[in-house]
């Protein structure tokens, strides 16, 4: 590996960033074509920061993307990284002239829009004020001032007069919140957007909100709910109506992975594989469909193998990156639990063959799972066996009965004791002046133990 | 002399008693005449001689009076007196001594004073005597407190155990209405005759009661009986208070020990029982902070964290609180509980794995060798903590196999055999049945207490009034407040 790249990724690792050394299966150009809007830069930038093989290519694309827009801050960020990673590239130097011109024009544009808005406000024409706010919001968003953008967009609300405008405001706010990764805000805005009559009539908006919910809930680690969001998306809606958030293949991947992590086999069969709408999405990501099918038909190791081969790709995804380890380990744990269900006793060798990972013993993993309460089983590490623990209602009942009897006896004695103390007038009575402590001389017993 | 002997041997009379009342009046008069005699010089001089002619088990009252006089006048050599006193304390007739409580009390005090018996004998004979007086051991006396202190201070706990093990449910100083039955009645509850009035005990304060349970706890700690120690300390921790802010120093001290003992007993932080007084709860939270920190580190399962916690608080602190040895034990037991928790994961595990997976909290490192692990395991098995066997197969590493716990192991059909279960349930039922007289006594006492009777009378009066006024309506929920006018039409009120 290039020395500069090496230095760059050591830096990223030191900052707790994710570094993906294996080449992903995706093709950068085709991948980025699926998106539009500001998410393109975000995605390219993330790949540039994380993927060793694609670093330079992605960063260069990100710089080009930034230059096409008006956000000078992003441009600086991307160039900064490229300068560390590949200083010899022509893009690695600032285009000072462009920067200055762009910054000046951004400033002029902001001022112009503000003055215009002031004028509209003086004229008291609702429609003009709304449009003024919208223009300002769009401008602020494009130059990367997301705070101001969100503020401008929310100021549109009082002047809405048609359903279309209402939906637009909602979408603007959702988009900005997603960019700021404020998942709670995303769900709040989506709630406002989706709960209305207009939204229910508009299929496109419905799919938009479902996907938005999915992304927001994924961000909040509510995997099951997020999966349900993605699974409810409608494939008939053209991707252009939601590709500022995610592409159709993303929907398939997010939905499929999260379903795998959070649902059992029956649910997967009915909610994923037999879901005719979602099947259309799955055509975009056939490996996810294969993984789900393998899981449902009980071939867990095959399922895990497929997912492992796509791990680099998912680690380069804007929304999945942080959650890949958690989602994968949930899926793996589920596979192990499901695998053990039909058996009363399995040898560790078989488990190793099915789930083994180089450099990691399945025994330790099982022990951790049992300790965490994810698995009801016992390990015999001498005979190398795993025995599943079945509930024994009879002995449970016996233990409960004995416990109850003992508890009853203790309670009875304790009550009698307390009645006795009360009757003998021996309860503690606080001295009024002594601040909580009953008057009594010091009493410390010497410790004579041992 | 002969006259004296006739009088002393005159109770119990050879002909027996016509009734309990007869016994009662004769015993009382005998007690009075003994009192009168005690001050005569003749009696004082001949007390030591007369002791030879009176049977302690039959003429207990007389014997007791003679013994006390002999002790007070010092008219007999000490070893002789000690032998006589111990015979008396182990054989006296408890029915008679109900009438000469003061004399018995002074004898017991003398026995516990440290100037007479060696401590080990004193503890033994006094415990025996107190249990003869009240076989249920349900009433606390001033002698209990003194005995427990002596037993702990001189490390003679074992002979005191029969007494310490009893559950105390009543305390002297109960203001009860006079029991109509005579003092000698065999079915009289112990609380009725072990009272300040009969002289069998002195009055106690709440500090005495708290001290008694704390000392019991310390005794059990000494014996490493964590279960009983925990229960005893819990009595102190949950001591009732009449207001919302009282707490005693002894309670705080007991709470801290209770927390540590809880860790030793279950490997988990014990939860405060809901009966804990609110003032005490607050005091425990603030004053028990270092102990809670230790407990939390213990539960989190990191030996290093536990060690650091212990060191930041500092041994000096615990030593000042007289808890250093206990805290050391907690640190030592940390690894034991870690090993024991492996039982939930493994049915069999090699010693090497145990060595790697568990840490010693004293050093915050794994044990050095397999031998040390095995030694620890043996120790745990000897203590009855661990049910398992260490096996050393010829062709493999040594390993520990856990035997099934009571909750039903994975390998066998299930927990207890039906017979064993029946036996345990029977034992539990038996213990509950033994509580019945205590419950009855308490219930009788409460039923005849002035407050309760007043309450019942008032209740009855109100019932009568209520019926006269508005039919049999419950006064607490007046008719109008519950039912809206409209509901009258819809049949809601048919229940009334």
């Amino acid at each position: 590996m290039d020395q500069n790249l090496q230095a760059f990724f050591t830096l990223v690792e030191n900052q707790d960033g994710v570094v993906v050394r294996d080449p992903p299966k995706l093709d950068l150009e085709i991948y980025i074509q699926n998106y539009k809007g500001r998410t393109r830069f975000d995605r390219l930038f993330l790949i540039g920061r994380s993927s060793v093989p694609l670093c330079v290519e992605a960063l260069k694309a990100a710089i080009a993307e930034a230059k096409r827009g008006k956000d000078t801050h992003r441009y600086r960020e991307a160039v900064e990284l490229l300068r560390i990673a590949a200083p010899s590239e022509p893009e690695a130097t600032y285009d000072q002239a462009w920067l200055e011109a762009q910054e000046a024009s951004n400033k002029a544009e902001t001022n112009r829009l503000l003055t215009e808005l002031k004028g509209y406000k003086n004229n008291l024409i609702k429609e003009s004020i709304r449009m003024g706010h919208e223009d300002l919001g769009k401008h602020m968003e494009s130059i990367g001032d997301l705070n101001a953008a969100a503020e401008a967009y929310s100021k549109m609300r009082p002047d809405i007069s048609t359903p279309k405008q209402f939906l637009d405001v909602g979408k603007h706010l959702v988009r900005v919140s997603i960019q700021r990764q404020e998942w709670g805000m995303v769900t709040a805005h989506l709630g406002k957007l989706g709960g209305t009559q207009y939204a229910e009539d508009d299929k496109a908006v419905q799919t938009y909100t479902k996907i938005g919910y999915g992304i927001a809930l994924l961000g909040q680690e509510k995997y099951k709910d997020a999966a349900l969001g993605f699974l409810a998306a409608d494939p008939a809606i053209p991707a252009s109506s939601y590709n500022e958030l995610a592409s159709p293949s993303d929907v398939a991947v997010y939905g499929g992975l999260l379903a795998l992590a959070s649902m059992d086999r029956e649910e997967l069969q009915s909610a994923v594989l037999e879901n005719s709408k979602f099947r259309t999405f799955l055509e975009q990501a056939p490996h996810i469909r294969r993984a789900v099918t393998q899981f449902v038909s009980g071939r867990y190791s095959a399922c895990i193998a497929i997912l492992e081969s796509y791990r680099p790709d998912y680690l380069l995804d804007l929304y999945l990156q942080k959650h890949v380890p958690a989602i994968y380990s949930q899926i793996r744990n589920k596979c192990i639990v499901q695998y053990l269900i039909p058996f009363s006793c399995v040898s560790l060798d078989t488990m190793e063959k099915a789930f083994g990972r180089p450099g990691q013993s399945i025994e330790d993993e099982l022990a951790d799972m049992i300790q965490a309460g994810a698995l009801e089983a016992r390990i015999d590490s001498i005979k190398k066996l795993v025995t599943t623990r079945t509930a024994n209602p009879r002995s449970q009942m016996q233990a409960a009965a004995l416990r109850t009897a003992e508890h009853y006896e203790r309670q009875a004695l304790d009550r009698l004791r307390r009645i006795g103390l009360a009757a003998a007038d021996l309860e503690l009575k606080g001295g009024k002046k002594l601040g909580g402590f009953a008057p009594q001389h010091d009493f410390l017993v010497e410790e004579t133990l041992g | 002399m002969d006259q004296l002997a006739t009088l002393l041997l005159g109770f119990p009379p050879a002909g027996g008693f016509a009734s309990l009342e007869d016994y009662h009046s004769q015993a009382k008069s005998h007690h009075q005449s003994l009192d009168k005699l005690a001050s005569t010089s003749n009696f004082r001089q001949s007390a030591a001689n007369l002791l030879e002619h009176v049977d302690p088990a039959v003429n207990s009252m007389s014997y007791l009076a003679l013994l006390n006089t002999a002790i007070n006048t010092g008219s007999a050599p000490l070893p002789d007196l000690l032998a006589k006193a111990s015979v008396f304390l182990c054989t006296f007739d408890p029915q008679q001594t109900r009438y000469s409580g003061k004399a018995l009390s002074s004898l017991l005090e003398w026995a516990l004073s440290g100037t007479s018996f060696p401590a080990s004998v004193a503890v033994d004979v006094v415990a025996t005597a107190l249990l003869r007086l009240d076989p249920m051991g349900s009433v606390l006396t001033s002698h209990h407190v003194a005995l427990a202190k002596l037993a702990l201070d001189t490390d003679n706990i074992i002979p005191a155990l029969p007494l310490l093990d009893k559950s105390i449910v009543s305390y002297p100083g109960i203001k009860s209405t006079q029991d109509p039955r005579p003092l000698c009645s065999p079915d009289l509850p112990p609380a009725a005759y072990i009272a300040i009035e009969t002289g069998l005990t002195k009055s106690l304060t709440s500090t005495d009661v708290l001290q008694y349970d704390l000392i019991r706890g310390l005794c059990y700690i000494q014996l490493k009986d964590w279960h009983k120690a925990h229960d005893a300390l819990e009595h102190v921790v949950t001591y009732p208070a009449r207001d919302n802010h009282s707490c005693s120093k002894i309670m705080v001290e007991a709470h801290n020990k209770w927390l540590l003992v809880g860790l030793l007993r279950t490997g988990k932080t014990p939860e405060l029982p809901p009966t804990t007084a609110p003032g005490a709860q607050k005091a425990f939270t603030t004053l028990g902070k270092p102990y809670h920190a230790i407990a939390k580190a213990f539960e989190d399962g990191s030996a290093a964290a536990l060690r650091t916690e212990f060191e930041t608080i500092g041994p000096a602190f615990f030593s000042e609180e007289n808890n250093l040895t206990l805290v050391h034990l907690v640190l030592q037991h940390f690894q034991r509980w870690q090993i024991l928790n492996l039982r939930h994961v493994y049915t069999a595990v090699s010693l090497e794995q145990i060595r790697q997976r568990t840490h010693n909290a004293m050093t915050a490192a794994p044990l050095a060798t397999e031998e040390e692990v095995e030694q620890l395991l043996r120790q745990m098995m000897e203590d009855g903590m661990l049910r398992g066997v260490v096996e050393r197969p010829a062709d493999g590493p040594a390993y520990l196999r856990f035997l099934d716990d009571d909750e039903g192991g994975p390998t066998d059909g299930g927990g207890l055999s039906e017979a064993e279960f029946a036996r345990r349930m029977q034992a539990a039922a038996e213990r509950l049945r033994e509580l019945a007289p205590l419950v009855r006594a308490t219930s009788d006492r409460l039923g005849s207490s002035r407050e309760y009777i007043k309450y019942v009378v008032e209740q009855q009066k109100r019932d009568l009034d209520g019926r006269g006024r508005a039919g049999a309506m419950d006064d607490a929920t007046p008719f109008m407040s519950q039912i809206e006018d409209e509901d009258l039409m819809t049949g809601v009120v048919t229940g009334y």
Side-chain angles (χ1 to χ4, degrees):
Chain A
M1 191 162 55
D2 188 343
Q3 196 146 24
N4 292 317
L5 268 183
Q6 187 117 33
F8 173 64
F9 281 107
T10 338
L11 197 72
V12 172
E13 266 179 347
N14 288 344
Q15 287 167 355
D16 290 332
V18 180
V19 174
V20 188
R21 294 184 195 281
D22 301 317
K25 292 186 171 30
L26 57 85
D27 180 284
L28 199 61
E29 236 164 83
I30 299 173
Y31 169 77
I32 208 64
Q33 269 172 19
N34 289 323
Y35 306 94
K36 76 162 188 241
R38 287 172 56 87
T39 190
R40 282 167 64 100
F41 175 87
D42 286 333
R43 286 173 184 272
L44 287 170
F45 188 71
L46 183 91
I47 295 174
R49 250 175 73 96
S50 309
S51 169
V52 178
L54 290 179
C55 171
V56 177
E57 192 189 344
L59 281 177
K60 277 158 76 174
I63 292 169
E65 177 70 28
K67 246 180 146 173
R68 265 199 295 279
K70 297 192 280 183
D71 189 343
T72 50
H73 180 68
R74 308 177 122 186
Y75 175 73
R76 283 173 205 274
E77 256 183 320
V79 173
E80 202 65 50
L81 288 193
L82 192 63
R83 267 167 67 170
I84 309 170
S88 52
E89 297 286 335
E91 283 90 345
T93 44
Y94 284 122
D95 183 344
Q96 208 61 42
W98 178 81
L99 262 179
E100 274 162 24
Q102 192 58 52
E103 270 168 7
S105 94
N106 283 351
K107 215 168 190 176
E109 178 73 4
T110 313
N111 285 336
R112 187 182 69 81
L113 287 169
L114 281 173
T115 346
E116 261 180 24
L117 185 60
K118 219 175 205 173
Y120 295 146
K121 279 185 179 163
N122 285 339
N123 290 339
L124 291 172
I125 303 171
K126 277 174 99 68
E127 180 59 12
S128 308
I129 299 174
R130 189 190 64 80
M131 279 171 62
H133 279 304
E134 184 165 25
D135 289 342
L136 182 65
K138 279 184 176 160
H139 171 68
M140 287 302 186
E141 189 184 345
S142 71
I143 64 169
D145 190 344
L146 296 176
N147 250 334
E151 201 185 325
Y153 285 141
S154 32
K155 279 189 182 152
M156 289 168 69
R157 271 204 199 287
D159 301 312
I160 292 167
S161 49
T162 68
K164 167 92 175 52
Q165 291 166 3
F166 175 83
L167 296 177
D168 281 346
V169 173
K171 279 183 172 183
H172 288 321
L173 286 169
V174 168
R175 191 178 60 239
V176 173
S177 311
I178 287 185
Q179 287 182 51
R180 296 166 76 184
Q181 309 222 338
E182 287 174 343
W183 308 122
M185 291 297 284
V186 179
T187 30
H189 288 311
L190 282 169
K192 269 188 205 154
L193 180 60
T196 50
Q197 187 64 41
Y198 333 125
E200 273 167 31
D201 297 342
D202 193 335
K203 287 258 162 56
V205 176
Q206 272 189 36
T207 297
Y208 184 89
T209 51
K210 298 276 190 242
I211 294 172
Y213 265 126
I215 292 174
L217 292 167
L218 167 64
Q220 296 170 32
E221 297 180 18
K222 293 175 185 155
Y223 296 147
K224 175 97 187 231
D225 296 336
L228 291 175
F230 291 119
L231 289 177
D234 188 345
I237 306 302
S240 60
S241 70
Y242 54 81
N243 62 5
E244 54 189 24
L245 304 181
S247 68
S249 86
D250 282 345
V251 173
V253 170
Y254 297 164
L257 273 186
L258 292 172
L260 265 179
S262 58
M263 294 178 182
D264 62 24
R265 284 167 61 187
E266 287 76 28
E267 243 182 320
L268 278 171
Q269 178 74 30
S270 62
V272 180
L273 294 181
E274 286 167 11
N275 179 338
S276 61
K277 284 182 182 171
F278 196 69
R279 274 193 88 90
T280 324
F281 279 112
L282 279 178
E283 279 163 20
Q284 304 273 339
H287 54 280
I288 288 287
R289 190 178 53 81
R290 275 208 313 280
V292 176
T293 320
Q294 303 284 27
F295 185 90
V296 170
S297 52
R299 288 188 289 274
Y300 304 110
S301 46
C303 167
I304 288 179
I306 295 172
L307 293 182
E308 280 304 329
S309 71
Y310 277 88
R311 187 189 269 266
D313 284 56
Y314 301 150
L315 278 174
L316 294 179
D317 185 273
L318 184 59
Y319 304 122
L320 272 183
Q321 187 181 59
K322 276 186 209 154
H323 303 281
V324 166
I327 295 174
Y328 269 47
S329 87
Q330 272 191 24
I331 297 177
R332 207 179 141 80
N333 285 358
K334 262 181 57 189
C335 284
I336 293 176
V337 172
Q338 294 278 338
Y339 180 91
L340 284 170
I341 286 177
F343 301 105
S344 66
C345 186
V346 186
S347 83
L348 278 175
D349 283 344
T350 330
M351 294 286 293
E352 192 81 54
K353 260 179 223 146
F355 295 102
R357 279 190 290 199
Q360 218 176 337
S361 121
I362 186 82
E363 193 183 324
D364 290 342
E365 193 177 348
L366 286 174
D368 290 340
M369 279 174 68
I370 297 171
Q371 220 148 30
L375 186 62
E376 273 286 311
R378 294 284 183 276
I379 302 170
D380 185 331
S381 81
I382 303 306
K383 292 188 196 146
K384 298 289 173 200
L385 292 176
V386 183
T387 35
T388 46
R389 193 178 149 91
T390 43
N392 184 341
R394 205 176 76 93
S395 65
Q396 275 172 9
M397 182 281 288
Q398 289 179 338
L402 287 172
R403 250 199 323 273
T404 312
E406 194 206 357
H407 184 70
Y408 184 85
E409 189 191 342
R410 274 174 58 97
Q411 287 269 310
L413 276 172
D414 195 54
R415 298 260 158 88
L416 287 173
R417 189 174 67 90
R418 298 175 84 83
I419 294 172
L421 283 170
D425 201 16
L426 282 170
E427 292 155 306
L428 275 188
K429 281 160 287 200
K432 274 172 204 147
K433 293 165 210 152
L434 280 157
F437 278 94
Q440 63 198 212
H441 42 90
D442 280 9
F443 178 72
L444 280 173
V445 181
E446 285 291 315
E447 190 178 42
T448 47
L449 180 71
Chain B
M1 186 83 176
D2 281 351
Q3 209 183 341
L4 276 178
T6 329
L7 194 134
L8 288 170
L9 295 173
F11 188 91
F17 300 99
S19 64
L20 280 176
E21 282 74 24
D22 186 24
Y23 187 111
H24 182 62
S25 59
Q26 288 210 35
K28 259 171 96 173
S29 67
H30 186 64
H31 173 63
Q32 276 160 9
S33 40
L34 283 176
D35 257 1
K36 264 182 227 149
L37 269 184
S39 47
T40 59
S41 60
N42 189 14
F43 184 76
R44 285 162 160 271
Q45 281 156 18
S46 49
N49 279 335
L50 283 167
L51 273 175
E52 306 292 337
H53 306 288
V54 180
D55 185 344
V58 180
N59 312 107
S60 298
M61 277 166 91
S62 314
Y63 197 86
L64 183 57
L66 288 169
L67 199 55
N68 271 331
T69 316
I71 289 167
N72 288 337
T73 51
S75 51
L78 188 64
D80 219 22
L81 283 176
L82 291 180
K84 292 209 158 57
S86 59
V87 169
F88 173 78
L89 287 173
C90 297
T91 56
F92 70 88
D93 173 8
Q95 207 178 1
Q96 286 183 36
T97 47
R98 292 181 193 181
Y99 291 90
S100 44
K102 268 211 185 82
L104 185 62
S105 277
S106 73
L107 180 65
L108 290 174
E109 273 162 25
W110 174 73
L112 289 172
S113 65
T115 55
S116 53
F117 289 105
S120 58
V121 184
V123 170
D124 202 347
V125 291
V126 174
T128 316
L130 286 174
L131 280 177
R132 282 183 72 74
L133 207 56
D134 170 19
M136 289 287 289
S138 61
V139 185
L140 188 70
T141 67
S142 46
H143 310 298
H144 279 74
V145 185
L147 174 75
K149 269 186 197 162
L150 182 69
L152 182 70
D153 288 347
T154 59
D155 197 11
N156 285 301
I157 296 163
I158 310 262
L161 279 184
L163 191 75
L164 296 181
D165 280 345
K166 301 286 181 201
S167 323
I168 303 279
V169 296
S170 42
Y171 301 85
I174 293 178
K175 292 182 221 73
S176 61
T177 43
Q178 276 295 307
D179 203 299
R181 287 168 289 190
L183 207 51
C184 53
S185 166
D187 54 354
L188 201 63
Y193 57 84
I194 302 181
I196 304 165
E197 295 81 43
T198 61
L200 279 172
T201 172
K202 290 193 179 126
S203 74
L204 293 175
T205 63
S206 57
T207 313
D208 294 322
V209 181
L210 286 168
Q211 272 189 24
Y212 177 68
D213 276 322
L214 177 62
I215 293 173
R216 268 181 67 216
L218 291 171
C219 289
Y220 291 126
I221 289 177
Q222 189 91 331
L223 300 177
K224 303 213 161 109
D225 186 338
W226 308 128
H227 194 100
K228 284 182 182 168
H230 199 240
D231 279 355
L233 292 172
E234 199 159 295
H235 282 178
V236 189
V237 169
T238 60
Y239 196 82
R242 198 166 283 178
D243 47 35
N244 282 338
H245 58 267
S246 307
C247 179
S248 109
K249 223 168 196 171
I250 300 176
M251 288 168 75
V252 174
E253 202 182 323
H255 167 261
N256 295 341
K257 290 183 197 293
W258 170 82
L259 204 64
L260 296 175
V261 172
L263 288 177
L264 291 170
R265 178 185 163 192
T266 60
K268 283 190 275 233
T269 317
E271 269 179 43
L272 269 184
T275 42
T276 315
Q281 287 189 17
K282 266 180 248 155
F284 297 159
T285 333
T286 38
L287 297 173
K289 262 200 190 111
Y291 297 90
H292 280 291
I294 290 278
K296 191 169 176 306
F298 190 98
E299 259 191 354
D300 287 351
S302 151
L306 185 56
R307 172 101 200 128
T308 335
E309 200 62 65
F310 170 66
E311 272 168 4
T312 31
I313 300 167
F317 171 82
F318 291 115
S319 150
E320 206 170 291
E321 300 237 314
N322 287 321
N323 279 330
L324 186 60
T325 332
L326 208 51
V327 174
H328 270 302
L329 265 180
V330 169
L331 292 188
Q332 276 167 24
H333 272 238
F334 173 75
Q335 188 167 26
R336 293 173 169 221
W337 277 104
Q338 291 228 303
I339 293 174
L340 214 54
N341 285 338
L342 287 182
R343 165 186 76 169
H344 301 305
V345 177
Y346 293 99
T347 52
V349 59
S350 72
L351 296 189
E352 178 57 24
Q353 263 173 314
I354 295 181
R355 199 182 72 79
Q356 283 170 9
R357 282 189 88 105
T358 63
H359 288 67
N360 183 336
M362 301 298 276
T363 58
L367 290 176
T369 59
E370 262 185 48
E371 280 70 44
E372 281 181 48
V373 176
E374 195 182 343
Q375 212 179 338
L376 179 66
L377 292 176
R378 295 232 174 280
Q379 188 69 45
M380 285 169 71
M381 286 178 216
E382 270 170 32
D383 290 354
M385 226 179 145
L386 174 68
R387 298 185 62 216
V389 277
V390 176
E391 290 182 27
R392 295 190 166 279
D395 54 343
Y399 66 91
L400 167 74
R401 176 168 296 282
F402 290 102
L403 298 177
D404 300 323
D405 42 69
D406 292 342
E407 286 158 33
T411 43
D412 71 351
L416 305 163
S417 73
E418 208 54 56
E420 169 69 8
F421 176 64
R423 198 187 58 71
R424 289 206 199 179
M425 280 311 275
Q426 201 116 43
E430 194 50 49
R431 282 200 305 276
L432 284 179
R433 224 167 282 138
E434 280 169 14
L435 289 183
L438 296 178
V439 175
R440 214 175 305 124
T442 308
S443 163
D444 285 353
R445 198 182 63 234
L446 289 177
S448 59
S449 75
R450 189 185 295 274
E451 287 86 358
Y452 179 71
I453 291 171
K454 219 190 248 170
Y455 167 77
V456 170
V457 168
E458 251 167 47
Q459 192 77 9
Q460 280 172 350
K461 213 191 280 168
R462 209 184 310 158
D463 273 3
L464 283 173
D465 284 1
R467 218 170 284 135
R469 212 174 40 233
M473 209 59 73
D474 187 3
D475 288 32
T477 52
F479 183 74
M480 290 311 288
S481 73
Q482 231 183 17
I483 295 160
E484 297 290 325
D485 285 350
E486 285 90 328
D487 294 340
L488 288 169
M489 309 294 198
T490 58
V492 170
V493 287
T494 46
Y496 281 86

